[in-house]
Amino acid sequence: MHYRHLIPNSTAKVLLFCLLILLTLGVFLRFANLDRKAYWYDETRTSIRAIAAYMPTSPEAVFDNRITGIEDIKKYQEADPQRSITDSLYVMAKDDPKHSPLYYILVGIWGRIVGDSVGTVRALSAIISLLGFPCIYWLAIELFGSNLTAGTATALMAVSPVFVLYAQEARPYTLWTVTILLSSVTLLRAIRLNNRASWVIYALSIALGIYTHILFNLVILSHAIYVLIIGYPAVANIFAKKENTRKIWLPQVWINYLLSTFLGLITFTPWAKFIWDHRDNFRMSYLTEQKGSLSFFIKSWVLEISALFLDYKGSSFIDLSQGKDNKFHYLVYLPILILIVYSIYYLIRRTPKQIWLFICTLIVVPILALTLPDLISEGIRSTVVRYFFPSYLAIQLAVAYLLSSKCFTANVSHQKLWQLITVVLISAGVVSCAISLPAKTWWSKSYSYYNAQVAEIINQANNPRLVVNYSWYNSTQLLSMSHILEPKVKLQLLAEPEVEQISLNFSPEQDIFLYNPSKDFQKDINQAGFELKNIHERGQLWQLKK
């Protein structure tokens, strides 16, 4: 459906100008303060594996009870000229093969050539995120045939708080976003054209997607269900020898789809072999080992969906996980939820089945795949915002269609109302990004959320020493804080939580801090005549005095 005839040329020029302004703002938001927020533990894994080509357990070597400096732990995230991208691939395959390698290959090359600082490494994600603008525009054109809807979808993505947030992380989610959009538009194009070239391009998009993120399988499943449902009635009519069958839905389309998907997936065989060879290291995530209440899940889902358009509280998910959230806080998100539900309803009522079914499958399949296991058995997979990116993109398309349709209806009073809603929704995204931009931490930093505050406390001391005993969690958090701790901070990294090592190197002239000491270690310290004071409870920071 085209809207050009409903929009005067002067209005079209104003809309184009607004879109360019929002795109410019979107670019600025993605590149501003790239190195400000804490480099959280998932990002440190990017640097260790892809750039430095070390095993994540390598930092254990510096936990030898000696007093050392920040650089001795930070070096495990810096490029080493003697370690190649092949070494990085080996590390990724052996250590944790569930992470598809394409992004890590790109960031490994980027880090070795451009630089390995926090801002530089994150810049690659920001650059890749810009490809999402033309991709979502193209997909909207393929679905709706409307420049207005395509422009609205692009504008919403440009200032979407959640997409801006993850555009500033050294993780594969911006590349995953691009491959989701690219595979979706190439599928629709292949169905429409049904020629060899279009299906080959779709197969390539499948290969790119599966090599970017293992959860791209949910996108493949969504596409499969869509093709199956759309094509089944026509194929049934063929076998029934009915003549009113749409030409494009001959069995050859199904064959081409299956062949293209198979070819795309078969390219994953080399990495699948790595996964099989190192299957013992295919670790179960903590996301499958925890359990949440129904109330916890509902609140989390509300925050997740709303973050697509409004995200003004950086501690929202952190407060929820600690049971300290404000129930009235969720009322702010109610209008957004209503808008999303209505946009899906409006889409189904006003567009052909081929359009609304594509968007709805992309929304529903990932949601069901991630939420049902959590509700039926154990796990908190459905509380991870970034896993729902396919659904988020589809929701944005549905909302874009609603807004672009309603803003230029024949009813002038309705036009004004929906134009106001559009302005408010886009403004909510801009304000959310403006609040998040200068922040040193945000909910997306997960267990590293408090690291910036902890590091600031330590940095304020005149002669600080940080004592950390070895554990996977402690070493990872220390790697995160190594980017924000000042060079004056000394580290004492203990192989075992032994009080004797602290006593041997104790100096009353130093400000001694302990990070995340176990209860048994705290007990041993107190019995040795030291006094422990918890100076940041949530950040797990203690101060030691004689």
Side-chain angles (χ1 to χ4, degrees):
M1 183 181 293
H2 294 270
Y3 299 90
R4 184 173 298 173
H5 63 284
L6 297 175
I7 306 174
N9 287 335
S10 59
T11 304
K13 290 179 181 178
V14 171
L15 292 176
L16 179 59
F17 177 75
C18 292
L19 175 59
L20 293 176
I21 291 294
L22 290 173
L23 286 176
T24 303
L25 182 59
V27 173
F28 169 77
L29 291 170
R30 282 160 173 78
F31 286 92
N33 291 344
L34 269 176
D35 59 352
R36 185 165 180 81
K37 287 185 176 62
Y39 201 66
W40 73 296
Y41 67 81
D42 268 17
E43 292 181 292
T44 66
R45 288 297 186 259
T46 297
S47 292
I48 293 174
R49 293 189 184 109
I51 297 176
Y54 281 103
M55 292 293 289
T57 54
S58 297
E60 183 179 354
V62 296
F63 282 78
D64 56 3
N65 303 325
R66 295 182 301 110
I67 296 178
T68 185
I70 296 295
E71 293 303 319
D72 286 339
I73 191 75
K74 197 175 179 181
K75 69 180 181 182
Y76 291 100
Q77 302 173 75
E78 298 172 345
D80 186 339
Q82 297 182 351
R83 294 172 181 265
S84 67
I85 197 67
T86 304
D87 297 318
S88 297
L89 272 172
Y90 173 79
V91 167
M92 288 183 286
K94 185 176 180 180
D95 173 62
D96 201 2
K98 67 175 178 286
H99 292 286
S100 298
L102 180 57
Y103 167 78
Y104 299 100
I105 293 173
L106 294 176
V107 78
I109 296 171
W110 175 270
R112 287 170 170 83
I113 296 175
V114 181
D116 52 23
S117 66
V118 170
T120 305
V121 175
R122 285 175 170 169
L124 177 62
S125 295
I127 292 170
I128 293 173
S129 73
L130 301 183
L131 298 176
F133 298 162
C135 285
I136 198 168
Y137 189 94
W138 186 15
L139 179 55
I141 288 290
E142 194 69 39
L143 280 168
F144 304 108
S146 166
N147 290 325
L148 179 60
T149 303
T152 305
T154 308
L156 291 174
M157 170 178 263
V159 296
S160 171
V162 72
F163 286 121
V164 170
L165 199 61
Y166 282 99
Q168 292 195 326
E169 286 206 353
R171 300 296 288 166
Y173 296 102
T174 55
L175 184 59
W176 189 36
T177 299
V178 172
T179 59
I180 293 167
L181 294 169
L182 193 60
S183 64
S184 296
V185 72
T186 53
L187 172 63
L188 294 174
R189 183 174 180 273
I191 291 172
R192 176 169 55 83
L193 299 178
N194 195 28
N195 57 36
R196 181 179 298 179
S198 61
W199 285 111
V200 168
I201 293 172
Y202 177 64
L204 291 174
S205 73
I206 291 291
L208 286 174
I210 198 67
Y211 266 102
T212 297
H213 202 288
I214 200 71
L215 287 181
F216 186 80
N217 285 302
L218 298 179
V219 179
I220 296 174
L221 180 58
S222 300
H223 290 175
I225 293 173
Y226 171 76
V227 173
L228 178 65
I229 295 175
I230 289 296
Y232 178 76
V235 175
N237 287 340
I238 290 173
F239 285 106
K241 297 183 179 179
K242 295 183 179 180
E243 296 181 358
N244 60 343
T245 301
R246 291 186 64 191
K247 185 177 180 181
I248 66 166
W249 283 113
L250 294 172
Q252 188 62 40
V253 173
W254 268 5
I255 294 172
N256 288 341
Y257 167 75
L258 292 173
L259 182 61
S260 297
T261 303
F262 174 76
L263 290 176
L265 291 174
I266 204 69
T267 62
F268 196 66
T269 302
W271 193 256
K273 185 179 184 303
F274 275 124
I275 294 176
W276 178 256
D277 290 343
H278 302 287
R279 57 191 178 275
D280 293 338
N281 291 341
F282 202 96
R283 294 190 294 268
M284 291 295 289
S285 170
Y286 72 94
L287 296 172
T288 64
E289 299 168 354
Q290 300 184 37
K291 193 171 184 178
S293 65
L294 181 59
S295 173
F296 171 77
F297 283 129
I298 292 174
K299 291 178 180 179
S300 179
W301 298 337
V302 169
L303 293 174
E304 289 171 16
I305 296 174
S306 301
L308 191 56
F309 302 105
L310 178 65
D311 180 28
Y312 65 92
K313 190 177 181 183
S315 63
S316 55
F317 286 92
I318 308 300
D319 293 340
L320 174 59
S321 65
Q322 297 175 350
K324 298 181 179 180
D325 56 316
N326 187 337
K327 294 180 181 179
F328 294 102
H329 176 65
Y330 298 93
L331 294 176
V332 178
Y333 299 112
L334 186 58
I336 292 177
L337 297 178
I338 293 173
L339 179 68
I340 290 172
V341 172
Y342 180 65
S343 68
I344 296 171
Y345 167 79
Y346 186 84
L347 179 79
I348 294 172
R349 288 294 301 270
R350 295 301 182 97
T351 62
K353 182 180 179 181
Q354 288 83 358
I355 295 175
W356 68 256
L357 184 63
F358 183 85
I359 291 177
C360 287
T361 52
L362 202 56
I363 292 173
V364 172
V365 170
I367 289 176
L368 291 180
L370 293 167
T371 58
L372 288 181
D374 287 354
L375 296 174
I376 294 172
S377 57
E378 291 186 354
I380 55 172
R381 308 166 193 81
S382 61
T383 64
V384 182
V385 174
R386 54 194 182 272
Y387 291 173
F388 290 95
F389 272 19
S391 301
Y392 288 170
L393 292 168
I395 289 172
Q396 276 198 331
L397 287 167
V399 172
Y401 175 74
L402 171 67
L403 297 178
S404 59
S405 300
K406 291 288 190 178
C407 284
F408 294 94
T409 60
N411 190 313
V412 176
S413 61
H414 287 179
Q415 279 189 26
K416 298 298 182 183
L417 174 62
W418 283 100
Q419 287 169 6
L420 176 62
I421 291 173
T422 303
V423 170
V424 170
L425 190 65
I426 291 176
S427 299
V430 173
V431 171
S432 297
C433 293
I435 294 172
S436 167
L437 188 64
K440 293 182 179 180
T441 189
W442 210 253
W443 54 259
S444 58
K445 303 308 175 184
S446 188
Y447 288 114
S448 300
Y449 177 83
Y450 295 107
N451 285 359
Q453 298 174 21
V454 168
E456 186 175 354
I457 293 172
I458 297 171
N459 288 337
Q460 288 174 352
N462 293 324
N463 189 14
R465 186 196 339 160
L466 179 61
V467 179
V468 185
N469 65 278
Y470 181 78
S471 70
W472 180 87
Y473 177 84
N474 285 358
S475 65
T476 305
Q477 295 291 63
L478 182 60
L479 287 165
S480 168
M481 287 189 285
S482 67
H483 296 279
I484 44 182
L485 288 172
E486 295 178 1
K488 68 178 180 180
V489 179
K490 300 300 179 183
L491 302 176
Q492 185 173 10
L493 308 179
L494 306 181
E496 298 291 339
E498 299 174 345
V499 182
E500 292 79 5
Q501 296 298 331
I502 299 177
S503 300
L504 288 173
N505 296 283
F506 179 78
S507 171
E509 297 177 355
Q510 281 192 312
D511 299 292
I512 302 178
F513 301 92
L514 272 74
Y515 181 75
N516 190 32
S518 66
K519 290 185 178 180
D520 289 339
F521 194 22
Q522 294 176 36
K523 184 178 179 181
D524 292 342
I525 291 172
N526 288 325
Q527 290 178 348
F530 292 101
E531 178 187 349
L532 269 180
K533 181 181 179 181
N534 190 339
I535 57 176
H536 198 299
E537 181 180 358
R538 294 191 183 186
Q540 305 167 98
L541 184 67
W542 300 71
Q543 188 166 17
L544 183 144
K545 294 182 179 180
K546 190 71 172 177

PDB file of all heavy atoms in Angstrom, residues 45 83 130 132 299 357:
ATOM      1  N   ARG A  45      35.376 -11.175  27.592  1.00  0.00           N
ATOM      2  CA  ARG A  45      35.523 -12.447  26.886  1.00  0.00           C
ATOM      3  C   ARG A  45      35.791 -12.217  25.397  1.00  0.00           C
ATOM      4  O   ARG A  45      36.518 -12.969  24.759  1.00  0.00           O
ATOM      5  CB  ARG A  45      34.265 -13.302  27.072  1.00  0.00           C
ATOM      6  CG  ARG A  45      34.115 -13.888  28.476  1.00  0.00           C
ATOM      7  CD  ARG A  45      35.285 -14.831  28.735  1.00  0.00           C
ATOM      8  NE  ARG A  45      35.168 -15.544  29.992  1.00  0.00           N
ATOM      9  CZ  ARG A  45      35.807 -15.243  31.102  1.00  0.00           C
ATOM     10  NH1 ARG A  45      36.570 -14.172  31.128  1.00  0.00           N
ATOM     11  NH2 ARG A  45      35.689 -15.985  32.180  1.00  0.00           N
ATOM     12  N   ARG A  83      50.298 -13.788  18.305  1.00  0.00           N
ATOM     13  CA  ARG A  83      49.096 -14.626  18.255  1.00  0.00           C
ATOM     14  C   ARG A  83      48.214 -14.144  17.108  1.00  0.00           C
ATOM     15  O   ARG A  83      47.807 -12.995  17.061  1.00  0.00           O
ATOM     16  CB  ARG A  83      48.340 -14.567  19.591  1.00  0.00           C
ATOM     17  CG  ARG A  83      49.124 -15.189  20.737  1.00  0.00           C
ATOM     18  CD  ARG A  83      48.420 -14.939  22.070  1.00  0.00           C
ATOM     19  NE  ARG A  83      49.170 -15.509  23.180  1.00  0.00           N
ATOM     20  CZ  ARG A  83      48.938 -16.705  23.700  1.00  0.00           C
ATOM     21  NH1 ARG A  83      47.958 -17.458  23.214  1.00  0.00           N
ATOM     22  NH2 ARG A  83      49.661 -17.170  24.699  1.00  0.00           N
ATOM     23  N   LEU A 130      25.030   0.633  11.947  1.00  0.00           N
ATOM     24  CA  LEU A 130      24.532   1.570  10.936  1.00  0.00           C
ATOM     25  C   LEU A 130      23.949   0.838   9.729  1.00  0.00           C
ATOM     26  O   LEU A 130      23.092   1.381   9.023  1.00  0.00           O
ATOM     27  CB  LEU A 130      25.643   2.517  10.492  1.00  0.00           C
ATOM     28  CG  LEU A 130      26.286   3.380  11.590  1.00  0.00           C
ATOM     29  CD1 LEU A 130      27.318   4.321  10.984  1.00  0.00           C
ATOM     30  CD2 LEU A 130      25.236   4.163  12.360  1.00  0.00           C
ATOM     31  N   GLY A 132      22.004  -1.500   9.888  1.00  0.00           N
ATOM     32  CA  GLY A 132      20.620  -1.822  10.216  1.00  0.00           C
ATOM     33  C   GLY A 132      19.637  -0.833   9.624  1.00  0.00           C
ATOM     34  O   GLY A 132      18.482  -1.196   9.330  1.00  0.00           O
ATOM     35  N   LYS A 299       7.234  -9.223  35.121  1.00  0.00           N
ATOM     36  CA  LYS A 299       7.861  -7.906  35.276  1.00  0.00           C
ATOM     37  C   LYS A 299       9.049  -7.746  34.322  1.00  0.00           C
ATOM     38  O   LYS A 299       9.236  -6.685  33.708  1.00  0.00           O
ATOM     39  CB  LYS A 299       8.323  -7.714  36.716  1.00  0.00           C
ATOM     40  CG  LYS A 299       7.194  -7.568  37.726  1.00  0.00           C
ATOM     41  CD  LYS A 299       7.743  -7.437  39.135  1.00  0.00           C
ATOM     42  CE  LYS A 299       6.629  -7.292  40.159  1.00  0.00           C
ATOM     43  NZ  LYS A 299       7.166  -7.186  41.542  1.00  0.00           N
ATOM     44  N   LEU A 357       1.419 -12.351   8.622  1.00  0.00           N
ATOM     45  CA  LEU A 357       1.915 -13.636   9.104  1.00  0.00           C
ATOM     46  C   LEU A 357       3.434 -13.642   9.222  1.00  0.00           C
ATOM     47  O   LEU A 357       3.992 -14.211  10.169  1.00  0.00           O
ATOM     48  CB  LEU A 357       1.460 -14.760   8.172  1.00  0.00           C
ATOM     49  CG  LEU A 357       1.840 -16.173   8.621  1.00  0.00           C
ATOM     50  CD1 LEU A 357       1.164 -16.521   9.939  1.00  0.00           C
ATOM     51  CD2 LEU A 357       1.473 -17.202   7.552  1.00  0.00           C
TER      52      LEU A 357
END
